[in-house]
């Protein structure tokens, strides 16, 4: 019953908005459509006598309208009884005044007089059998009385006749929630709205979406975030499909696509919104973020530049664009932006490091050294400033210099787990795998308090790689399982564990489920496609493996490992020429790979032997 009272308050508010002419969109996610009642209107053509005076009937309507306006102007919680008296007088003057009828029911329901409201509305229906607003209010009242079958019938009929009846929508959704079938309630409403054809506006669909979210969040247990997004997607698609969708609707749809991982659809929708408002910085930046995620770096850079030109003082944009210039080898542009950024934030050691990198790459070595020294001399210099330089040094194969930078960082921050972790990475680059393992153990020992954030997804992926190279394979599975326990939705961790199992030819059914889940979460990831194919191969299902491996080869620009897997699969399918072609392509990219050389030699030897056996005897 308590839940029913809470719901009563929310829908009463909706009823009140509808009656007073205030659209709920302005302050509330619920909106209603007040209908025009012909008998309550005055027209010169119909209501004036030849003398120019109002007819008696029209005079009565005029008095009813004036009294209704007066009732609304004095309406308040403290004055509800006087308002009720005035509205009852309005209805006595004009029984066809539907808005007044609904307002009376609203006041009675607020006072807890549900049965009185029911009787009043039943009488109102007799006077106004075609009023959708009265029917919707009656459906709500029946819902309060627990008569949900009747409430559902009335609400569905009201919504069929007028798609803008948000009170009817809310009642139908609340009944579906009571029946533990909220998604089914949404589908029922969707069917009604679709039957209404093109006249159902985008705002009606958006109202359904807002109501669903409001009610779903109060459901016990509440639907998962993914369930809510998948329920909202067709609603937002319907709203955006209406003629001339606005930017807000398109952005809402794009956000839904993005949160579901459908980034291509999100970008396409945002581009449509951006064409309508080409100077909208928020849309430009959203597009750039998606383009970055999708690997469309050139387009992303162009969009970030456009946003910067529109507002160069936007917080963080100058630094972001500067780092993109670094990634795209536009070092002079990067240096210019970092210099400007340091003018605004002169004590930012991370920015000094970035400036130093830009100088270094543009062959301004003295300026680079000065930037690095300023960064490290800063009293506020965090370990991350050193680590940014280390990342740059490793990415440019300056492995020894990275080791020197990390030694300086360790001397300054001897208890930093992050510094030890990056030392492990540097040791891996130096192919000193035993030392890398030692640094990982030191990382674990130092990680406490604020340093525990070192245990991110990259930590578990890097640890598994180091363990594999150090031939500590027994440690890999527990490490990756620990990572997945902390980050259960990480497709990269799923992929790493699935590939490990496939290589070990163990837990293959689990590996298949894990790799397929990773592919669903990140469908444009080539290594994940490769893992799916390799698991199928190890399950002796080469026909199922091949499409994954072919997609992986395209996505990874013919990575030699992927090509080797594809070649093995071709061979198992009896396609020896395709196998040799794949292995040879892989060998061109990885000429020192002995496994590939052995495969090619064995295939050629087998082919020669077959040729000799088939030759005629002399």
């Amino acid at each position: 019953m308590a839940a029913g009272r809470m719901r009563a308050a929310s829908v009463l508010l909706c009823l009140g908005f509808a009656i007073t002419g205030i659209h709920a969109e302005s302050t509330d996610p619920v909106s209603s459509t007040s209908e025009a009642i012909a008998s309550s209107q005055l027209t010169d053509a119909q209501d004036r006598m030849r003398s120019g005076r109002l007819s008696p009937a029209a005079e009565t309507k005029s008095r009813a309208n004036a009294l209704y306006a007066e009732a609304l102007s004095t309406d308040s919680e403290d004055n509800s009884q006087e308002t009720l008296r005035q509205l009852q007088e309005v209805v006595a003057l004009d029984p066809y005044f539907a808005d007044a009828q609904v307002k009376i029911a609203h006041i009675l329901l607020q006072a807890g007089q549900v049965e009185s409201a029911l009787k009043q509305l039943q009488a109102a229906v007799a006077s106004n059998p075609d009023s959708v607003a009265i029917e919707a209010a009656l459906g709500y009242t029946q819902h309060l009385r627990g008569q949900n079958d009747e409430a559902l019938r009335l609400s569905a009929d009201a919504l069929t006749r007028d798609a803008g009846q948000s009170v009817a929508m809310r009642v139908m959704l609340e009944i579906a929630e009571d029946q533990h079938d909220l998604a089914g309630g949404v589908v029922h409403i969707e069917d009604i709205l679709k039957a209404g054809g093109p006249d159902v506006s985008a705002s009606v669909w958006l109202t359904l979406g807002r109501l669903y979210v409001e009610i779903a969040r109060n459901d016990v247990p509440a639907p998962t975030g993914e369930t809510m997004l998948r329920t909202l997607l067709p609603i937002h698609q319907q709203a955006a499909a209406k003629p001339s969708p606005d930017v807000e609707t398109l952005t809402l749809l794009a956000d839904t696509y993005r949160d579901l991982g459908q980034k291509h659809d999100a970008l396409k929708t945002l581009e449509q919104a951006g064409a309508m408002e080409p100077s909208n910085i928020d849309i430009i930046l959203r597009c750039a973020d998606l383009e970055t995620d999708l690997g469309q770096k050139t387009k992303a850079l162009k969009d970030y530049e456009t946003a910067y030109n529109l507002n160069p003082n936007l917080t963080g944009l100058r630094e972001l664009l500067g780092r993109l210039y670094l990634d795209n080898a536009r070092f002079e542009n990067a240096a210019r932006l970092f210099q400007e950024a340091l003018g605004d934030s002169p004590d930012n050691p991370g920015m000094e490091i970035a400036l130093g990198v830009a100088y270094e790459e543009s062959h301004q070595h003295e300026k680079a050294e000065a930037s690095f020294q300023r960064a490290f001399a800063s009293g506020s210099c965090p370990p991350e400033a050193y680590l940014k330089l280390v990342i740059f040094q490793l990415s440019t194969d300056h492995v020894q210099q990275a080791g020197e930078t990390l030694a300086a960082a360790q001397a300054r921050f001897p208890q930093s787990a992050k510094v030890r972790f990056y030392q492990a990475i540097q040791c891996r680059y130096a192919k000193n795998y035993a030392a890398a393992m030692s640094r990982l153990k030191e990382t674990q020992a130092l990680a406490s308090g604020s340093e525990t954030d070192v245990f991110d997804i990259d930590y578990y992926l890097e640890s598994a790689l180091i363990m594999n190279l150090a031939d500590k394979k027994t440690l890999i599975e527990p490490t990756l399982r620990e990572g997945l326990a902390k980050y259960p939705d990480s497709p990269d961790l799923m992929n790493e564990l699935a590939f490990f199992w496939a290589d070990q030819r163990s837990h293959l059914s689990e590996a298949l489920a894990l790799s397929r889940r990773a592919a669903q979460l990140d469908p444009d990831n080539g290594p994940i496609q490769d893992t799916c194919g390799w698991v199928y191969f190890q399950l002796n299902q080469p026909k199922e493996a091949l499409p994954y491996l072919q997609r992986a080869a395209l996505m990874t620009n013919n990575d030699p490992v992927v090509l080797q897997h594809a070649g093995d699969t071709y061979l198992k399918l009896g396609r020896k020429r395709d196998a040799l072609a794949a292995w040879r392509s892989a060998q061109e990219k990885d000429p020192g790979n002995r496994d590939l050389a052995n495969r090619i030699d064995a295939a050629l030897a087998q082919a020669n032997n077959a040729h000799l056996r088939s030759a005629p005897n002399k």
Side-chain angles (χ1 to χ4, degrees), residues 266-268 270-272 274-275 277-294 296-312 314 317-318 320-321 324-325 328 330:
L267 179 58
K268 183 179 178 180
L270 275 178
E271 287 173 339
Q272 186 181 352
E277 291 186 5
S279 297
N280 188 317
I281 293 180
D282 180 60
I283 292 176
I284 294 169
L285 290 175
R286 285 168 180 250
C287 286
D289 289 345
L290 285 167
E291 288 156 354
T292 300
D293 291 344
L294 292 169
Q296 301 176 16
K297 295 182 179 180
T298 302
K299 288 180 66 178
L301 181 58
K302 183 178 179 181
D303 277 335
Y304 283 124
E305 286 177 324
T306 300
Y308 179 74
N309 291 331
L310 288 168
N311 185 359
L314 192 63
L317 183 54
R318 185 183 282 114
L320 174 62
L321 184 54
L324 283 172
Y325 282 142
N328 286 271
R330 293 171 60 176

Coordinates of all heavy atoms in Angstrom, one line a residue, residues 266-268 270-272 274-275 277-294 296-312 314 317-318 320-321 324-325 328 330:
A266 N 26.5 4.9 -33.3 CA 26.5 6.1 -32.5 C 27.1 7.3 -33.3 O 26.6 8.4 -33.3 CB 27.3 5.9 -31.2
L267 N 28.3 7.0 -33.9 CA 29.0 8.0 -34.7 C 28.1 8.5 -35.9 O 28.0 9.7 -36.1 CB 30.3 7.5 -35.2 CG 31.1 8.4 -36.0 CD1 31.4 9.7 -35.3 CD2 32.4 7.7 -36.5
K268 N 27.5 7.6 -36.6 CA 26.6 8.0 -37.7 C 25.5 8.9 -37.2 O 25.2 9.9 -37.9 CB 26.1 6.7 -38.4 CG 25.2 7.0 -39.6 CD 24.7 5.6 -40.2 CE 23.8 5.9 -41.4 NZ 23.3 4.6 -42.0
L270 N 25.4 10.8 -34.5 CA 26.0 12.1 -34.0 C 26.4 12.9 -35.2 O 26.2 14.2 -35.2 CB 27.2 11.8 -33.2 CG 26.9 11.6 -31.7 CD1 28.2 11.4 -30.9 CD2 26.2 12.8 -31.1
E271 N 26.9 12.3 -36.3 CA 27.2 13.1 -37.5 C 26.0 13.7 -38.1 O 26.0 14.9 -38.6 CB 27.9 12.2 -38.5 CG 29.3 11.8 -38.1 CD 30.0 10.8 -39.0 OE1 29.2 10.1 -39.7 OE2 31.2 10.7 -39.0
Q272 N 24.8 13.0 -38.0 CA 23.6 13.6 -38.5 C 23.2 14.8 -37.6 O 22.7 15.8 -38.2 CB 22.5 12.5 -38.4 CG 21.1 12.9 -39.0 CD 20.1 11.8 -38.9 OE1 20.4 10.7 -38.5 NE2 18.8 12.2 -39.2
G274 N 25.3 16.6 -35.9 CA 26.3 17.7 -36.2 C 26.1 18.4 -37.5 O 26.4 19.6 -37.6
A275 N 25.5 17.8 -38.5 CA 25.1 18.5 -39.7 C 24.1 19.5 -39.5 O 24.0 20.5 -40.2 CB 24.7 17.5 -40.7
E277 N 23.8 21.2 -36.5 CA 24.5 22.3 -35.7 C 26.0 22.2 -35.9 O 26.6 21.6 -35.0 CB 24.0 22.2 -34.2 CG 22.6 22.5 -34.0 CD 22.3 22.5 -32.5 OE1 23.2 22.4 -31.7 OE2 21.1 22.7 -32.2
P278 N 26.5 22.6 -37.0 CA 28.0 22.4 -37.2 C 28.9 23.1 -36.2 O 30.1 22.7 -36.2 CB 28.1 22.9 -38.6 CG 27.0 23.8 -38.9 CD 25.9 23.3 -38.1
S279 N 28.4 24.0 -35.4 CA 29.3 24.7 -34.5 C 29.0 24.2 -33.0 O 29.5 24.8 -32.1 CB 29.0 26.2 -34.5 OG 29.3 26.7 -35.8
N280 N 28.3 23.1 -32.9 CA 28.1 22.5 -31.6 C 29.3 21.8 -31.1 O 29.6 20.6 -31.5 CB 26.8 21.6 -31.6 CG 26.4 21.1 -30.3 OD1 27.2 20.8 -29.4 ND2 25.1 21.1 -30.1
I281 N 30.0 22.4 -30.2 CA 31.3 21.8 -29.8 C 31.1 20.4 -29.1 O 31.9 19.5 -29.2 CB 32.1 22.8 -28.8 CG1 32.5 24.0 -29.6 CG2 33.3 22.1 -28.2 CD1 33.2 25.0 -28.8
D282 N 30.0 20.3 -28.3 CA 29.8 19.1 -27.6 C 29.7 17.9 -28.6 O 30.2 16.8 -28.4 CB 28.5 19.2 -26.7 CG 28.2 17.9 -26.0 OD1 29.1 17.5 -25.1 OD2 27.2 17.3 -26.2
I283 N 28.9 18.1 -29.6 CA 28.7 17.1 -30.6 C 30.0 16.8 -31.3 O 30.4 15.6 -31.6 CB 27.6 17.5 -31.7 CG1 26.3 17.5 -31.0 CG2 27.6 16.5 -32.8 CD1 25.2 18.0 -31.9
I284 N 30.8 17.8 -31.7 CA 32.1 17.6 -32.4 C 33.0 16.8 -31.5 O 33.7 15.8 -32.0 CB 32.7 19.0 -32.7 CG1 31.9 19.7 -33.7 CG2 34.2 18.8 -33.2 CD1 32.3 21.2 -33.9
L285 N 33.1 17.1 -30.2 CA 34.0 16.3 -29.3 C 33.5 14.9 -29.1 O 34.3 14.0 -29.0 CB 34.1 17.0 -27.9 CG 34.8 18.4 -28.0 CD1 34.7 19.0 -26.6 CD2 36.3 18.1 -28.3
R286 N 32.2 14.7 -29.1 CA 31.6 13.3 -29.0 C 32.0 12.5 -30.2 O 32.4 11.3 -30.1 CB 30.1 13.4 -28.8 CG 29.6 13.8 -27.5 CD 28.1 14.1 -27.6 NE 27.5 14.5 -26.3 CZ 26.7 13.8 -25.6 NH1 26.3 12.6 -26.0 NH2 26.2 14.2 -24.4
C287 N 31.9 13.1 -31.4 CA 32.3 12.4 -32.6 C 33.8 12.1 -32.5 O 34.2 11.0 -32.9 CB 32.0 13.3 -33.8 SG 30.3 13.5 -34.3
A288 N 34.6 13.0 -32.1 CA 36.0 12.8 -32.0 C 36.4 11.7 -31.1 O 37.2 10.8 -31.4 CB 36.7 14.1 -31.6
D289 N 35.7 11.6 -30.0 CA 35.9 10.5 -29.0 C 35.6 9.2 -29.6 O 36.4 8.2 -29.5 CB 35.1 10.7 -27.7 CG 35.6 11.9 -26.9 OD1 36.7 12.3 -27.1 OD2 34.9 12.3 -26.0
L290 N 34.5 9.1 -30.3 CA 34.1 7.8 -31.0 C 35.0 7.5 -32.1 O 35.4 6.3 -32.2 CB 32.6 8.0 -31.5 CG 31.5 7.9 -30.5 CD1 30.2 8.3 -31.1 CD2 31.4 6.5 -29.9
E291 N 35.4 8.5 -32.9 CA 36.4 8.2 -33.9 C 37.7 7.7 -33.4 O 38.3 6.8 -34.0 CB 36.6 9.5 -34.7 CG 35.4 9.8 -35.6 CD 35.3 11.3 -36.0 OE1 36.2 12.1 -35.4 OE2 34.4 11.7 -36.7
T292 N 38.1 8.2 -32.2 CA 39.4 7.7 -31.6 C 39.2 6.2 -31.2 O 40.1 5.4 -31.5 CB 39.7 8.5 -30.4 OG1 39.9 9.9 -30.8 CG2 40.9 8.0 -29.7
D293 N 38.0 5.9 -30.6 CA 37.8 4.5 -30.2 C 37.7 3.6 -31.4 O 38.1 2.4 -31.3 CB 36.5 4.5 -29.4 CG 36.5 5.1 -28.1 OD1 37.6 5.4 -27.6 OD2 35.4 5.4 -27.5
L294 N 37.2 4.1 -32.5 CA 37.1 3.3 -33.7 C 38.4 3.2 -34.6 O 38.4 2.6 -35.6 CB 35.9 3.7 -34.5 CG 34.5 3.6 -33.9 CD1 33.5 4.3 -34.7 CD2 34.2 2.1 -33.8
Q296 N 39.7 5.7 -36.1 CA 39.7 6.7 -37.2 C 40.4 8.0 -36.7 O 39.9 9.0 -36.5 CB 38.2 7.0 -37.5 CG 37.4 5.8 -38.0 CD 36.0 6.1 -38.2 OE1 35.6 7.3 -38.4 NE2 35.1 5.1 -38.3
K297 N 41.7 7.8 -36.6 CA 42.6 8.9 -36.0 C 42.6 10.2 -36.8 O 42.6 11.3 -36.2 CB 44.0 8.3 -35.7 CG 44.0 7.2 -34.8 CD 45.4 6.7 -34.5 CE 45.5 5.6 -33.5 NZ 46.9 5.1 -33.2
T298 N 42.6 10.1 -38.1 CA 42.7 11.3 -38.9 C 41.4 12.1 -38.7 O 41.5 13.3 -38.6 CB 42.9 10.9 -40.4 OG1 44.1 10.1 -40.5 CG2 43.0 12.2 -41.2
K299 N 40.3 11.4 -38.8 CA 39.0 12.2 -38.6 C 38.9 12.7 -37.2 O 38.4 13.8 -37.0 CB 37.8 11.2 -38.8 CG 37.6 10.8 -40.3 CD 36.4 9.9 -40.5 CE 35.1 10.6 -40.1 NZ 33.9 9.7 -40.3
A300 N 39.4 12.0 -36.2 CA 39.3 12.4 -34.8 C 40.1 13.7 -34.6 O 39.7 14.7 -34.0 CB 39.8 11.3 -33.9
L301 N 41.3 13.7 -35.2 CA 42.2 14.8 -35.1 C 41.6 16.0 -35.7 O 41.6 17.2 -35.2 CB 43.6 14.5 -35.8 CG 44.6 15.6 -35.7 CD1 44.9 16.0 -34.3 CD2 45.9 15.2 -36.4
K302 N 41.0 15.9 -36.9 CA 40.3 17.0 -37.6 C 39.2 17.6 -36.7 O 39.0 18.8 -36.6 CB 39.8 16.5 -38.9 CG 39.1 17.6 -39.7 CD 38.7 17.1 -41.1 CE 38.0 18.2 -41.9 NZ 37.5 17.7 -43.2
D303 N 38.4 16.7 -36.1 CA 37.3 17.2 -35.2 C 37.8 17.9 -34.0 O 37.3 18.9 -33.6 CB 36.4 16.0 -34.8 CG 35.4 15.7 -35.9 OD1 35.1 16.5 -36.7 OD2 34.9 14.5 -36.0
Y304 N 38.9 17.3 -33.4 CA 39.4 18.0 -32.2 C 40.0 19.4 -32.6 O 39.9 20.4 -31.9 CB 40.5 17.2 -31.6 CG 40.0 16.1 -30.8 CD1 40.4 14.7 -31.0 CD2 39.2 16.3 -29.7 CE1 40.0 13.7 -30.2 CE2 38.7 15.2 -28.9 CZ 39.1 13.9 -29.2 OH 38.7 12.9 -28.4
E305 N 40.6 19.5 -33.8 CA 41.1 20.8 -34.3 C 39.9 21.8 -34.5 O 40.0 23.0 -34.2 CB 41.8 20.6 -35.6 CG 43.2 20.0 -35.4 CD 43.9 19.8 -36.7 OE1 43.3 19.4 -37.7 OE2 45.2 19.9 -36.8
T306 N 38.8 21.3 -35.1 CA 37.6 22.1 -35.3 C 37.1 22.6 -33.9 O 36.8 23.8 -33.8 CB 36.5 21.3 -36.0 OG1 37.0 20.9 -37.2 CG2 35.3 22.2 -36.2
A307 N 37.0 21.7 -32.9 CA 36.5 22.2 -31.6 C 37.5 23.2 -31.0 O 37.1 24.2 -30.4 CB 36.4 21.0 -30.7
Y308 N 38.8 23.0 -31.2 CA 39.8 23.9 -30.6 C 39.7 25.3 -31.3 O 39.8 26.3 -30.6 CB 41.2 23.3 -30.8 CG 42.3 24.3 -30.3 CD1 42.5 24.4 -29.0 CD2 43.1 25.0 -31.2 CE1 43.5 25.2 -28.5 CE2 44.1 25.8 -30.7 CZ 44.3 25.9 -29.4 OH 45.3 26.8 -28.9
N309 N 39.5 25.3 -32.6 CA 39.3 26.6 -33.3 C 38.1 27.3 -32.8 O 38.0 28.6 -32.8 CB 39.3 26.4 -34.8 CG 40.6 25.9 -35.3 OD1 41.7 26.2 -34.8 ND2 40.6 25.1 -36.4
L310 N 37.0 26.6 -32.5 CA 35.8 27.2 -32.0 C 35.9 27.7 -30.6 O 35.4 28.8 -30.2 CB 34.6 26.2 -32.0 CG 34.1 25.8 -33.4 CD1 33.2 24.6 -33.4 CD2 33.4 27.0 -34.1
N311 N 36.7 27.0 -29.7 CA 36.9 27.5 -28.4 C 38.2 27.0 -27.8 O 38.3 25.9 -27.2 CB 35.7 26.9 -27.5 CG 35.8 27.5 -26.1 OD1 36.7 28.2 -25.7 ND2 34.9 27.1 -25.2
P312 N 39.3 27.7 -28.1 CA 40.6 27.2 -27.7 C 40.8 27.2 -26.2 O 41.8 26.6 -25.7 CB 41.6 28.3 -28.3 CG 40.7 29.5 -28.6 CD 39.3 29.0 -28.8
L314 N 38.7 25.9 -24.0 CA 37.9 24.8 -23.4 C 38.9 23.9 -22.5 O 39.9 23.5 -23.0 CB 37.3 24.0 -24.4 CG 36.2 23.0 -24.0 CD1 35.0 23.7 -23.3 CD2 35.7 22.1 -25.1
L317 N 41.2 20.8 -23.6 CA 41.2 20.5 -25.0 C 42.6 20.8 -25.6 O 43.1 20.1 -26.5 CB 40.2 21.4 -25.7 CG 40.0 21.2 -27.2 CD1 39.8 19.7 -27.6 CD2 38.9 22.0 -27.8
R318 N 43.2 21.8 -25.2 CA 44.6 22.2 -25.7 C 45.6 21.0 -25.5 O 46.3 20.6 -26.3 CB 45.1 23.5 -25.1 CG 46.4 24.0 -25.7 CD 46.8 25.2 -25.0 NE 46.1 26.4 -25.5 CZ 45.3 27.1 -24.7 NH1 45.1 26.8 -23.5 NH2 44.7 28.2 -25.2
L320 N 44.8 17.9 -24.8 CA 44.4 16.7 -25.6 C 44.8 16.8 -27.0 O 45.4 15.8 -27.6 CB 42.8 16.6 -25.5 CG 42.2 15.5 -26.4 CD1 42.7 14.1 -25.9 CD2 40.7 15.5 -26.3
L321 N 44.6 17.9 -27.6 CA 45.0 18.1 -29.0 C 46.5 18.0 -29.2 O 47.0 17.4 -30.1 CB 44.5 19.4 -29.6 CG 44.7 19.7 -31.0 CD1 44.2 18.6 -31.9 CD2 44.1 21.0 -31.4
L324 N 47.5 14.4 -29.2 CA 47.2 13.9 -30.5 C 48.2 14.3 -31.6 O 48.6 13.4 -32.5 CB 45.8 14.3 -31.0 CG 44.6 13.6 -30.3 CD1 43.3 14.3 -30.7 CD2 44.6 12.1 -30.7
Y325 N 48.7 15.5 -31.5 CA 49.7 15.9 -32.4 C 51.0 15.1 -32.2 O 51.7 14.7 -33.2 CB 50.0 17.4 -32.3 CG 49.0 18.3 -32.9 CD1 48.7 19.5 -32.3 CD2 48.5 18.1 -34.1 CE1 47.8 20.4 -32.9 CE2 47.6 18.9 -34.7 CZ 47.2 20.1 -34.1 OH 46.4 21.0 -34.7
N328 N 50.6 11.8 -33.8 CA 50.6 11.9 -35.3 C 51.8 12.5 -35.9 O 51.9 12.9 -37.0 CB 49.3 12.6 -35.8 CG 48.1 11.8 -35.7 OD1 47.7 11.1 -36.6 ND2 47.4 12.0 -34.5
R330 N 53.2 15.3 -35.4 CA 53.2 16.7 -35.7 C 53.8 17.5 -34.5 O 53.1 18.1 -33.7 CB 51.8 17.2 -36.0 CG 51.3 16.5 -37.3 CD 49.8 16.8 -37.6 NE 49.5 18.2 -37.7 CZ 48.2 18.7 -37.9 NH1 47.3 17.8 -38.2 NH2 48.0 19.9 -38.0

